[in-house]
Amino acid sequence: MSTLIDGLSLGAIYALIALGYTMVYGIAKMLNFAHGDVIMVGAYTVFTTLMMGNGIWAKILAVVVTVVVCTVLGVCVEKCAYRPLRGASPLAVLITAIGVSYLLQGVAQISFGAKSHPVDFTIKGSVGGINYHTIVTLIVATVIMVSLTLFVNFTRTGRAMVAVSEDRAAAQLMGVNVNRIIMLTFAIGSALAACASLFYLMQIPSVSPTLGSMPGIKAFTAAVIGGIGSIPGAMIGGVVLGVIEKLALSIPVIAPYTTAIEFSFLIIVLLVKPTGLLGKKRREKV
C-alpha cells in the first residue's frame, strides 16, 4: 500500500511538470526542453533562501520566492528566446530550447559548482507508515491540478487559451492577444515546475546543476503517454509513470531496469495509440 501511495506522490510530481510541457505544446505548438531546468532553478532558489535560516518561516519564504523566481524566469525565457522565433521553423525553436537548457545548467554550475548540495526541505514524521511529505505532495498537487482544470475550462482567460490552441489565427481575429496568452502559459507552466521542484526536494533532498534533466525527460514521457497537448492526459500519464517507477523499484530483480521499463511502456502505448491515451488526431491545414 505504501509503495502505491509513494508512486502516486511521485506521479503527481511528474504530472505537474508534464502539465508545463503539454500546455506550452498545446498553445504555442513548441516543445520547451528547457522546462526541466526550471525545476533546477527552483531547487537552487530554495537552497539559497534556506541559507538565511531553516525554520518554518524560512521554508514558507522559500516556497514564495521559488514560485516567483521560476514564474519570472519562464516569462523572460519566452520573451527573449522564443518570441523572436514565433514564425521560425520547429527545428530552430527546438535547437533554441536545448540551448536555453544548457545555458541554465551552465549558469548554475558557474554559480554553485558542479557538486551537489544538501537541502533540508523535508517534512519529518509519518502517519500509518506514510511520510508527511508524501501526504502533502498528494494533497497540494491534486488541488493545483484541479484548480488548473477549472481555470482552463471556466474562466475567460482559460477559454482564450483553448481558442489559441485550436486556431491561433482565428483567435487573433476574435481579439485574443496571442502573445499575452502564450506568455501566461509559460508563466503558469514555470510556476507548476516551481511547485514540482519543492515536492522533488522533499523526496531527494539535494540539488545539482543537472537536477532537472531526468525528471524533465520522464515528465515529457508522461505527457506523451497521456497525449501531448491534453491536460487530463498529462495528469494521467504522470500518475501512471510514477506508479510504474515505484512498483519496479520495489522489486529487487527488476529495480536496475526501472528506467528501461518506463520507456518500454511509452513505446507500447505509442504502438497501440500513437496519439497517447487521451490525445486526439489533428488535421493539418495546407
Side-chain angles (χ1 to χ4, degrees), residues 101-114:
S101 173
Y102 281 116
L103 173 63
L104 293 176
Q105 290 184 23
V107 170
Q109 187 168 345
I110 292 171
S111 302
F112 299 97

Side-chain angles (χ1 to χ4, degrees), residues 112 131-132 137 153-154 156 162 219 235 241 252 255:
F112 299 97
N131 294 324
Y132 284 148
T137 300
N153 292 330
F154 298 105
R156 185 174 181 177
V162 175
M235 298 177 190
L241 201 67

Side-chain angles (χ1 to χ4, degrees), residues 156-174:
R156 185 174 181 177
T157 303
R159 289 194 293 270
M161 287 180 167
V162 175
V164 174
S165 174
E166 293 293 333
D167 193 322
R168 186 185 301 180
Q172 196 163 14
L173 289 174
M174 295 299 294

Side-chain angles (χ1 to χ4, degrees), residues 191-215:
L192 293 173
C195 296
S197 70
L198 297 170
F199 299 140
Y200 197 71
L201 284 178
M202 292 180 186
Q203 298 200 8
I204 303 177
S206 65
V207 59
S208 67
T210 58
L211 170 73
S213 298
M214 188 52 71

Side-chain angles (χ1 to χ4, degrees), residues 216-231:
I217 292 172
K218 289 186 178 181
F220 176 69
T221 301
V224 175
I225 289 173
I228 192 74
S230 169
I231 292 178

